[in-house]
Amino acid sequence: MGKKLYHGAAYYPELWNEEVIEQDIKLMKETGINVVRIGEFAWSTLEPEEGKIDSSFFVNIINKLYENGIETVMCTPTPTPPIWYSDGHPERMYVDHNGTIMGHGSRQHPCTNNSYFRERAAIITEHIAKAVGKLPGLIGWQIDNEFKAHVSECMCETCKHLWHQWLEQRYETIEKLNDAWGADIWSEAYLSFDQVPQPGPAPFLHNSSLSTMYQLFSMEKIAEFSDEQAEIIRKYSSEPITHNSSMAFSVDNERLFENLDFAAFDTYASIGNYPAYLINSDLYRNFKKGKDFWIMETSPSHAASLVSNGNPHPDGYLRSEAVAAYALGAEAFCYWLWRQQRAGCEQPHGSVISAWGKPTIGYENVLKVEEMRKDIEPIILSTRPSQAEVAITYSDRAKAFLKTEPHRKLNHRGLVTAFYERILHMGIHRDVIPEGSSLDGYKVLFTPFIHYISDDYLAKAKEFVENGGIWIAGPLTGGRTKEHTIHTDRALGKLEELAGAEVLFTYPMDGTNTIGNAFGVSAPLGMWSSVFEYNQETAIGTIEAGLSKGKSFITEQKVETGKIVMLGSMPVGDEGDALLKNLIDHYCSQADVTLRTDVTKGTIVAPRSGAGFTVWFIVNMDGNGGRVTLPREGIDMLTDTLVPQGMVEVEGFEYKVIKFND
């Protein structure tokens, strides 16, 4: 890895005969597919009967692919244990929040914490690692497939026992747990850890601490399973290991990738939601800072199952997706899937080749991606994504808090993506960073929608501000403790003290006809909000109408050479959008953010840095074309022609690569 750009697909040779496999390899070579991912659902092929394991089929496939110039990412097949694992053993299966025990079929039906599952998963993983770990065609590993995509927290007896162990490790004594959770509420105090329930069926809502902690427990346990698999693989193979994750799944991605070698994700965002596609690239390159990420799955045309389907991509959009991904730090752009499934629940899903071996509606666009890949490969390999000056903090742990306390059905991923979208459309180069990420190199930090701010994060952000950074915190940030309870010293705890603000009230502003004014715009305010006492020296946004008229909803406090800005409420509607953009522009200007352009909405600029030069990848994403102003003369690297300073236009789904000498 690291010496080429990969253009790949998920492949399931175990489903096809030798003649079809030969045809597939021939077509892959013609199409430009240079890597395939195999094996993630093949446990029954590898071990049709318990204890009878044979990996020779996959050894032969990897060798055959390599002989034809196609490399392989091998997967562990643990999302789909065979029938011998499931039959007659309900105690091994996943149990949902309603107490329903999963039967055999589909995928993710086992409890991944079950001791027998762990034992058999370790055995099959070790067998595969021994068999293929040293093959020359193998370039990487993927553990399992899409952890917690279809399931979330398991409620089986195994998990209940592990939950009690986890609680005892965390709290040490039941008295400390009761105190931390405020468990005397509704007589919820416990006498021992083994009495603490799982958040299953209940007449009303569970204690917030119970619900959120169980999610964090589940996230930690699935990461431990990943660690276990990686440790086995590393005994027999030196190739890098990843997992194909998503912001949508019930995992803590930061913890998941902690002990893996590179980050990868799956995405099926349609053109109408292209910012949701781009945010993944800006986030996943920061889970393993300095390392390229992989797009392990995206559709060449449309996603589909037996009961639903997305809209096929318009002609040209797939190439825009791919060039944007490579420019933003991807090493690989891979499809699900190569040959259409002839059976199962995803028969209608888009593919490169149909089940009968003919090109699909997406095939010509796959060819366009390959042509583009070859054109830009030398440019990508000689540059790195430029260090952004603006960062947005993303947290899957915050997602757990908001799942417990969603107010009016708020969705963490949707909230963060909408916030990100404003910065994207303003032409500001940005990173989306996990909570534990370093803040070095940034000038402006946004921390929206994070109920609980840890002491570690607070200390890091404080140092960032003291060194001249501008930190904008909120909305919905800082109002809960580590245990998902309310602070009793002040509304936002230590954050409020550091920000030099005094919160008077917290309440939902939706439907209260509250109007706020800031940065020359008056806008309705909504969402659960913090209202600050008005202070002429710190008030930036004033409430003009509503229950808290005359108070403040935005404050600004100088700390050493930097600033902390508190955004207490969410401006909504068109006016709210304008207010937020003015806020972003104001503080990016104050911080002297230079990595920003006047690119039009629907088009992006992805800057990359080389030895003595900078490259702008200009990509139209919406099909409507766009434009951007070049700050100085550059060279069009695709045509090797001079491009004068000034406006450059791109047509629908067109891309340009402009080089500037430093």
Side-chain angles (χ1 to χ4, degrees), residues 454-472:
S454 71
D455 288 345
D456 288 345
Y457 186 92
L458 195 65
K460 183 170 57 177
K462 179 175 180 286
E463 183 181 3
F464 167 77
V465 172
E466 289 172 344
N467 291 330
I470 298 177
W471 179 26
I472 297 107

Side-chain angles (χ1 to χ4, degrees), residues 439-444 459-471 558-564 591:
L439 300 180
D440 292 347
Y442 299 115
K443 296 178 178 179
V444 179
K460 183 170 57 177
K462 179 175 180 286
E463 183 181 3
F464 167 77
V465 172
E466 289 172 344
N467 291 330
I470 298 177
W471 179 26
K558 291 183 179 179
V559 179
E560 300 291 339
T561 57
K563 292 179 179 179
I564 298 178

Side-chain angles (χ1 to χ4, degrees), residues 95 97 154-161 163-164 195-202 206 210 214 217:
V95 179
H97 280 257
C154 179
M155 300 289 166
C156 75
E157 287 300 312
T158 296
C159 289
K160 186 176 182 179
H161 176 68
W163 164 235
H164 294 154
Q195 292 177 336
V196 182
Q198 299 159 300
H206 280 288
L210 174 71
Y214 200 81
F217 153 75

Side-chain angles (χ1 to χ4, degrees), residues 231-292:
E231 187 177 352
I232 294 168
I233 292 167
R234 289 189 177 112
K235 294 178 184 177
Y236 306 99
S237 177
S238 59
E239 300 304 329
I241 305 170
T242 193
H243 174 73
N244 60 326
S245 193
S246 167
M247 295 169 70
F249 302 159
S250 298
V251 297
D252 178 353
N253 281 286
E254 183 175 11
R255 169 63 184 88
L256 177 63
F257 287 112
E258 183 178 303
N259 296 317
L260 300 181
D261 299 308
F262 66 104
F265 66 85
D266 297 349
T267 178
Y268 292 95
S270 64
I271 184 172
N273 199 19
Y274 71 86
Y277 172 83
L278 295 170
I279 193 174
N280 286 285
S281 295
D282 285 334
L283 173 61
Y284 277 76
R285 70 165 174 265
N286 289 299
F287 281 127
K288 305 297 288 190
K289 195 80 170 180
K291 295 184 179 181
D292 294 331

Side-chain angles (χ1 to χ4, degrees), residues 105-306:
S106 190
R107 61 180 181 181
Q108 299 185 351
H109 45 280
C111 169
T112 51
N113 292 326
N114 180 274
S115 59
Y116 193 70
F117 172 82
R118 290 287 186 96
E119 179 186 331
R120 297 312 308 182
I123 290 169
I124 192 71
T125 297
E126 184 163 33
H127 190 102
I128 296 167
K130 280 182 180 178
V132 311
K134 301 295 183 183
L135 296 180
L138 183 78
I139 62 162
W141 292 87
Q142 177 188 295
I143 291 172
D144 204 271
N145 182 81
E146 294 190 341
F147 284 140
K148 300 293 184 180
H150 305 293
V151 297
S152 53
E153 300 80 45
C154 179
M155 300 289 166
C156 75
E157 287 300 312
T158 296
C159 289
K160 186 176 182 179
H161 176 68
L162 293 172
W163 164 235
H164 294 154
Q165 289 182 349
W166 186 86
L167 290 173
E168 187 167 7
Q169 219 171 21
R170 183 180 178 96
Y171 296 103
E172 298 178 344
T173 69
I174 195 65
E175 290 78 15
K176 289 182 180 178
L177 180 147
N178 285 330
D179 182 61
W181 290 12
D184 284 326
I185 293 281
W186 290 6
S187 299
E188 290 172 351
Y190 307 103
L191 303 177
S192 63
F193 286 110
D194 60 11
Q195 292 177 336
V196 182
Q198 299 159 300
F204 188 46
L205 302 173
H206 280 288
N207 185 302
S208 58
S209 300
L210 174 71
S211 295
T212 300
M213 293 309 110
Y214 200 81
Q215 291 178 70
L216 299 185
F217 153 75
S218 175
M219 289 174 171
E220 178 60 32
K221 288 302 173 184
I222 197 67
E224 285 178 4
F225 173 54
S226 175
D227 292 348
E228 188 177 289
Q229 293 236 302
E231 187 177 352
I232 294 168
I233 292 167
R234 289 189 177 112
K235 294 178 184 177
Y236 306 99
S237 177
S238 59
E239 300 304 329
I241 305 170
T242 193
H243 174 73
N244 60 326
S245 193
S246 167
M247 295 169 70
F249 302 159
S250 298
V251 297
D252 178 353
N253 281 286
E254 183 175 11
R255 169 63 184 88
L256 177 63
F257 287 112
E258 183 178 303
N259 296 317
L260 300 181
D261 299 308
F262 66 104
F265 66 85
D266 297 349
T267 178
Y268 292 95
S270 64
I271 184 172
N273 199 19
Y274 71 86
Y277 172 83
L278 295 170
I279 193 174
N280 286 285
S281 295
D282 285 334
L283 173 61
Y284 277 76
R285 70 165 174 265
N286 289 299
F287 281 127
K288 305 297 288 190
K289 195 80 170 180
K291 295 184 179 181
D292 294 331
F293 63 87
W294 279 43
I295 293 184
M296 201 63 80
E297 291 185 20
T298 196
S299 177
S301 54
H302 61 280
S305 70
L306 294 178

Side-chain angles (χ1 to χ4, degrees), residues 18 41 105 128 197 260 263 304 337 374 430 449 472 498 501 534 598:
E18 190 172 335
F41 303 131
I128 296 167
L260 300 181
L337 73 164
K374 290 188 288 190
R430 70 270 122 210
F449 316 117
I472 297 107
L498 181 62
Y534 182 83
D598 63 350

Side-chain angles (χ1 to χ4, degrees), residues 358-524:
K358 298 295 183 182
T360 65
I361 192 67
Y363 182 82
E364 289 299 322
N365 282 285
V366 171
L367 296 183
K368 290 178 182 179
V369 170
E370 175 58 13
E371 182 182 10
M372 173 275 296
R373 183 195 68 83
K374 290 188 288 190
D375 285 344
I376 71 167
E377 185 176 66
I379 305 168
I380 295 291
L381 296 182
S382 64
T383 56
R384 297 294 304 163
S386 297
Q387 164 70 50
E389 297 169 325
V390 173
I392 308 164
T393 300
Y394 173 82
S395 168
D396 285 304
R397 293 178 290 280
K399 181 173 68 180
F401 276 72
L402 204 63
K403 182 178 174 183
T404 295
E405 188 180 3
H407 302 289
R408 292 188 174 182
K409 298 181 179 179
L410 296 177
N411 174 278
H412 186 258
R413 180 172 57 134
L415 289 173
V416 174
T417 301
F419 201 94
Y420 161 92
E421 189 173 347
R422 294 181 178 91
I423 296 171
L424 172 74
H425 291 330
M426 292 173 71
I428 298 168
H429 185 47
R430 70 270 122 210
D431 277 340
V432 183
I433 60 173
E435 284 183 85
S437 185
S438 168
L439 300 180
D440 292 347
Y442 299 115
K443 296 178 178 179
V444 179
L445 172 66
F446 291 94
T447 308
F449 316 117
I450 298 183
H451 270 315
Y452 163 61
I453 296 287
S454 71
D455 288 345
D456 288 345
Y457 186 92
L458 195 65
K460 183 170 57 177
K462 179 175 180 286
E463 183 181 3
F464 167 77
V465 172
E466 289 172 344
N467 291 330
I470 298 177
W471 179 26
I472 297 107
L476 270 182
T477 294
R480 298 293 180 264
T481 70
K482 181 179 183 179
E483 308 301 331
H484 202 148
T485 61
I486 288 180
H487 301 283
T488 54
D489 55 346
R490 50 180 68 85
L492 306 181
K494 294 177 182 178
L495 172 61
E496 185 177 333
E497 181 181 14
L498 181 62
E502 180 188 355
V503 176
L504 299 174
F505 320 113
T506 64
Y507 62 93
M509 281 195 178
D510 303 280
T512 63
N513 297 316
T514 300
I515 304 294
N517 181 279
F519 307 105
V521 178
S522 291

